[in-house]
């Protein structure tokens, strides 16, 4: 829950006081060239506010000082000696490229590691020692942990091909090594920190921490010309094996396993800044999830439209609803929504004679699907229900993406600030926090598999992959044409 404006004001006041006390303000002259950091500083402004915080500005459109934070202050907050807050730094590392660059972030982390002794205690050795243990040590531990976590999670994306970033990192590591010698007595914790992060750097430089996982994923999802992943290519399908002889429950279970494999591999940065629309090459798993949903929708339509008789079409609709009921049982709401979309689509919905022969039990189940996904009040029914759903489960992914688009389009990333203390473009960090909140909502479900719920049937999965691969051959016009032909045949049959 977002803190009140008063809480935010109080917190920022504390940070500003703390910044002033430690001499970390923007106006402090540093030995390093200020010109080199000018561009970094221009990109470092952060605001906790946003377009929705009209009450803070009382409708006058003015940006108040207490609603803004710099990148430096955000880092101070997240690494404060008394703050047990991993979320802010995690959000910053995840989303920083939306408003700055990795080099700027690394430079600010490096500056944060340098925690000077306050002037008012410089003559009191006891207070200095207390400050080092209770403030300096805690902050420096948090800063190095943040650096380590950043390298571990995003080495390939942020560090691997950025030579300037690696140069800055190497300089920082050399500085840490020097400090571990010169401050061995007063700050003995720096030596193990320096050793640890240097070893991590050397290890990541030789082999990416996520390289094995990424290679495994790439191998798993490498499809042949028939749409079959490599691990299923050798699976032999028995002669005479037909999907029509498979139970609706088995179909739903295998599709759920296929869905989960994609869903569990979606990386957090694939969901940032509408990357699946703007930088498609960076969101392969999000796009695969969307394609899986579309494939299932068309597959269900064809299962009904391909039947030769009115009676069989009614049975196909019944079977599809049974699949939906199984999806509901195993809490695969993404595929359940695809089932509902297919049955509600015009090519299927208009087959009135086929629907008339569907048993009342299945019709009632179909109505229950509608109630789950009714879109009034921003899908309130689904949202309320899903809050109480325990994993394993797959949420309706389209709604998750809709929320991300709403946050991204509905909140400006930058704000123009011009007052007596600050000027330039500010960054709406609250937008990043809200995005991170949505991502956390699905993270739990990505890490809890269906291995104890659905038993894999590789032969059936192989057939489904092959069938789904054929779905790209059917566009809306072709499906409508099939529906028109089927509808006419049903009318003729019913009129006899």
């Amino acid at each position: 829950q977002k803190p009140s404006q008063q809480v935010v004001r109080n917190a920022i006041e504390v940070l500003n006081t703390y910044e002033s006390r430690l001499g970390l303000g923007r106006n402090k002259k540093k030995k390093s060239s200020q010109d080199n950091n000018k561009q970094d500083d221009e990109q470092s402004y952060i605001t906790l506010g946003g377009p929705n915080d009209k009450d803070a500005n009382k409708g006058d459109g003015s940006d108040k000082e207490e609603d803004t934070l710099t990148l430096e202050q955000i880092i101070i907050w997240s690494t404060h000696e008394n703050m047990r807050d991993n979320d802010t730094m995690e959000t910053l590392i995840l989303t920083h490229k939306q408003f700055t660059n990795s080099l700027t972030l690394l430079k600010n982390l490096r500056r944060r590691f340098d925690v000077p002794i306050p002037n008012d205690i410089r003559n009191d050795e006891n207070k200095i020692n207390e400050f080092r243990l209770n403030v300096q040590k805690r902050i420096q531990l948090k800063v190095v942990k943040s650096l380590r976590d950043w390298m571990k999670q995003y080495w390939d994306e942020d560090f691997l091909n950025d030579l300037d970033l690696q140069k800055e990192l190497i300089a920082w590591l050399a500085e840490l090594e020097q400090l571990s010698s010169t401050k061995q007595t007063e700050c003995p914790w720096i030596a193990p920190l320096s050793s640890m992060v240097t070893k991590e750097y050397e290890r990541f430089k030789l082999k990416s921490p996520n390289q094995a996982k990424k290679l495994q994923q790439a191998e798993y999802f490498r499809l042949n010309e028939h749409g079959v992943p490599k691990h299923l290519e050798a699976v032999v399908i028995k002669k005479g094996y037909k999907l029509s002889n498979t139970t609706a429950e088995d179909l739903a279970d295998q599709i759920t396993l296929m869905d989960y494999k994609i869903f569990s591999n979606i990386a957090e940065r694939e969901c940032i800044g509408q990357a699946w629309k703007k930088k498609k090459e960076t969101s392969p798993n999000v796009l695969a999830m969307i394609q899986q949903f579309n494939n299932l929708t068309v597959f269900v339509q064809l299962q009904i439209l391909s039947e030769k008789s009115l009676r069989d079409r009614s049975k196909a609709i019944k079977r599809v609803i049974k699949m939906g009921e199984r999806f509901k049982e195993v809490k695969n709401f993404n595929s359940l929504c695809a089932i509902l979309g297919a049955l509600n689509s015009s090519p299927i919905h208009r087959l009135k004679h086929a629907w008339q022969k569907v048993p009342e039990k299945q019709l009632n189940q179909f109505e229950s699907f509608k109630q789950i996904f009714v879109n009034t009040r921003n899908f309130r029914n689904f949202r309320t229900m899903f809050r109480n759903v325990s994993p394993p489960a797959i949420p309706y992914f389209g709604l998750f993406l809709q929320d991300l688009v709403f946050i991204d389009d509905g909140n400006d990333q930058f704000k123009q600030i011009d007052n007596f203390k600050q000027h330039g473009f500010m960054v709406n960090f609250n937008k990043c926090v809200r995005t991170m909140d949505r991502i956390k909502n699905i993270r739990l479900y990505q890490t809890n598999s269906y291995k104890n719920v659905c038993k894999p049937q590789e032969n059936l999965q192989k057939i489904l992959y092959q069938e789904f691969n054929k779905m790209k051959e059917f566009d809306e016009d072709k499906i409508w044409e099939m529906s028109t032909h089927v509808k006419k045949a049903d009318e003729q049959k019913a009129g006899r």
Side-chain angles (χ1 to χ4, degrees):
Q1 186 178 2
K2 184 178 177 181
S4 68
Q5 286 296 316
Q6 188 59 47
V7 171
V8 172
R9 293 188 189 98
N10 292 343
I12 295 173
E13 182 64 31
V14 169
L15 287 173
N16 288 336
T17 303
Y18 184 80
E19 180 184 36
S20 175
R21 179 167 63 87
L22 295 184
L24 294 174
R26 285 173 50 82
N27 296 326
K28 181 186 176 184
K29 294 182 179 180
K30 298 174 183 173
K31 292 182 181 179
S32 59
S33 173
Q34 205 166 13
D35 292 335
N36 291 338
N37 293 328
K38 184 177 181 181
Q39 186 177 0
D40 300 337
D41 290 340
E42 288 175 352
Q43 300 182 68
S44 70
Y45 287 112
I46 306 294
T47 177
L48 284 181
N52 295 327
D53 296 326
K54 295 179 181 177
D55 56 328
N57 295 330
K58 300 186 185 300
D60 60 2
S62 63
D63 292 300
K64 297 196 174 182
E65 179 186 354
E66 58 265 28
D67 289 333
T68 60
L69 287 175
T70 65
L71 176 56
E72 187 177 44
Q73 288 172 324
I74 288 286
I75 293 174
I76 288 174
W77 183 309
S78 59
T79 58
H80 191 278
E81 69 271 16
N82 294 326
M83 287 287 285
R84 296 183 178 181
D85 172 27
N86 295 322
D87 293 345
T88 301
M89 181 58 70
E90 185 181 8
T91 301
L92 183 59
I93 291 171
L94 173 68
T95 64
H96 73 272
K97 289 185 178 181
Q98 296 299 302
F99 51 82
T100 185
N101 56 58
S102 296
L103 183 59
T104 301
L105 177 58
L106 186 65
K107 286 182 176 180
N108 275 274
L109 280 174
R110 184 179 178 182
R111 284 198 289 266
R112 176 58 170 154
F113 187 85
D114 180 21
V115 185
I117 303 295
N119 291 328
D120 57 348
I121 66 170
R122 286 187 180 276
N123 298 323
D124 191 326
E125 194 64 33
N126 290 331
K127 288 185 177 180
I128 290 176
N129 290 333
E130 183 180 349
F131 179 84
R132 282 174 178 154
L133 286 175
N134 296 329
V135 178
Q136 216 173 48
K137 180 180 179 180
R138 292 181 184 179
I139 291 172
Q140 290 175 341
L141 284 170
K142 289 183 178 184
V143 170
V144 172
K145 179 184 181 300
S146 299
L147 173 62
R148 182 190 179 190
D149 291 344
W150 182 14
M151 290 195 299
K152 185 175 181 179
Q153 194 163 3
Y154 297 110
W155 177 264
D156 286 353
E157 296 175 53
D158 296 349
F159 291 87
L160 184 61
N161 298 315
D162 191 332
L163 297 181
D164 289 336
L165 187 63
Q166 287 200 43
K167 184 178 178 181
E168 178 72 17
L169 177 58
I170 291 170
W172 187 7
L173 296 179
E175 182 182 351
L176 288 176
E177 186 176 2
Q178 185 178 9
L179 288 173
S180 65
S181 300
T182 58
K183 294 195 173 184
Q184 178 61 40
T185 303
E186 58 265 40
C187 302
W189 58 85
I190 293 181
L193 286 179
S194 172
S195 175
M196 179 271 291
V197 76
T198 301
K199 286 179 180 178
E200 292 285 78
Y201 166 70
E202 295 296 338
R203 184 164 65 90
F204 296 158
K205 191 170 64 171
L206 293 175
K207 184 178 180 181
S208 166
N210 299 314
Q211 184 177 11
K213 181 181 178 181
K214 288 183 177 180
L215 289 174
Q216 185 180 11
Q217 288 180 12
E219 192 71 9
Y220 186 94
F221 287 110
R222 187 168 63 84
L223 308 179
N224 62 20
E225 67 274 16
H226 303 295
V228 178
K230 186 175 181 180
H231 74 283
L232 293 177
E233 285 182 345
V235 174
V236 178
I237 300 173
K238 295 179 182 179
K239 284 187 177 182
Y241 190 96
K242 295 181 180 180
L243 278 177
S244 56
N245 297 329
T246 307
T247 67
E249 290 75 17
D250 283 346
L251 279 172
D253 283 359
Q254 300 316 302
I255 292 171
T256 294
L257 292 175
M258 293 161 63
D259 288 349
Y260 178 75
K261 192 64 183 178
I262 302 171
F263 174 66
S264 63
N265 282 310
I266 294 174
E268 292 175 348
R269 279 200 180 161
E270 293 188 50
C271 306
I272 301 295
Q274 301 183 52
W276 64 93
K277 293 198 294 184
K278 299 177 181 179
K279 296 181 180 179
K280 294 185 177 182
E281 69 279 0
T282 64
S283 298
N285 296 300
V286 170
L287 293 174
M289 196 72 182
I290 295 171
Q291 188 61 53
Q292 178 80 350
F293 183 95
N294 294 337
N295 287 342
L296 178 57
T297 301
V298 178
F299 174 77
V300 166
Q301 291 174 319
L302 294 180
Q303 289 293 299
I304 297 169
L305 297 174
S306 299
E307 294 294 348
K308 302 299 182 184
S309 69
L310 174 59
R311 180 186 176 192
D312 288 342
R313 269 186 288 283
S314 295
K315 286 184 177 180
I317 293 175
K318 174 183 175 182
R319 189 163 177 253
V320 168
I321 293 174
K322 283 186 174 181
M323 284 177 61
E325 190 63 24
R326 179 58 179 170
F327 283 135
K328 184 178 175 182
E329 289 175 8
V330 299
K331 295 173 282 189
N332 181 356
F333 294 100
N334 197 59
S335 284
L336 175 58
C337 190
I339 291 287
L340 177 61
L343 293 175
N344 261 340
S345 66
S346 296
I348 304 302
H349 185 263
R350 68 176 183 156
L351 303 180
K352 295 181 180 179
H353 295 290
W355 279 99
Q356 287 173 359
K357 295 182 178 295
V358 176
E360 185 177 357
K361 178 182 178 181
Q362 273 69 49
L363 291 176
N364 290 335
Q365 289 173 340
F366 179 51
E367 288 300 318
S368 74
F369 302 163
K370 291 180 182 179
Q371 289 304 308
I372 292 174
F373 294 104
V374 64
N375 60 8
T376 55
R377 302 188 70 176
N378 195 17
F379 291 88
R380 181 178 180 180
N381 286 0
F382 175 76
R383 293 180 192 276
T384 301
M385 178 210 64
F386 198 73
R387 287 194 195 103
N388 300 316
V389 170
S390 58
I394 301 175
Y396 171 30
F397 199 68
L399 184 58
F400 168 69
L401 294 181
Q402 176 185 300
D403 287 347
L404 293 180
V405 170
F406 177 81
I407 293 170
D408 195 52
D409 288 343
N411 297 273
D412 293 333
Q413 188 70 70
F414 296 95
K415 287 177 138 185
Q416 179 71 36
I417 298 295
D418 193 8
N419 58 33
F420 71 97
K421 275 194 175 182
Q422 299 171 332
H423 62 87
F425 286 102
M426 314 294 286
V427 181
N428 183 2
F429 192 67
N430 183 52
K431 176 178 178 178
C432 302
V433 172
R434 292 176 64 192
T435 300
M436 187 64 176
D437 285 343
R438 296 303 188 278
I439 292 173
K440 284 180 180 178
N441 288 342
I442 70 163
R443 186 187 289 168
L444 172 66
Y445 300 99
Q446 288 184 288
T447 55
N448 287 268
S449 75
Y450 278 88
K451 65 180 180 180
N452 296 323
V453 179
C454 304
K455 183 179 179 181
Q457 297 182 38
E458 291 188 334
N459 56 343
L460 181 51
Q461 282 191 35
K462 183 174 183 178
I463 292 175
L464 286 168
Y465 275 112
Q466 291 172 337
E467 291 297 315
F468 281 14
N469 188 56
K470 298 174 186 176
M471 297 303 104
K472 58 189 176 185
E473 301 171 7
F474 295 88
D475 57 20
E476 291 183 3
D477 291 339
K478 193 168 185 178
I479 293 172
W480 184 258
E481 184 181 338
M482 292 176 66
S483 173
T484 301
H485 176 76
V486 164
K487 182 175 180 289
K488 185 177 180 179
D490 287 352
E491 289 172 349
Q492 291 175 349
K493 176 72 174 177
R496 290 177 185 173

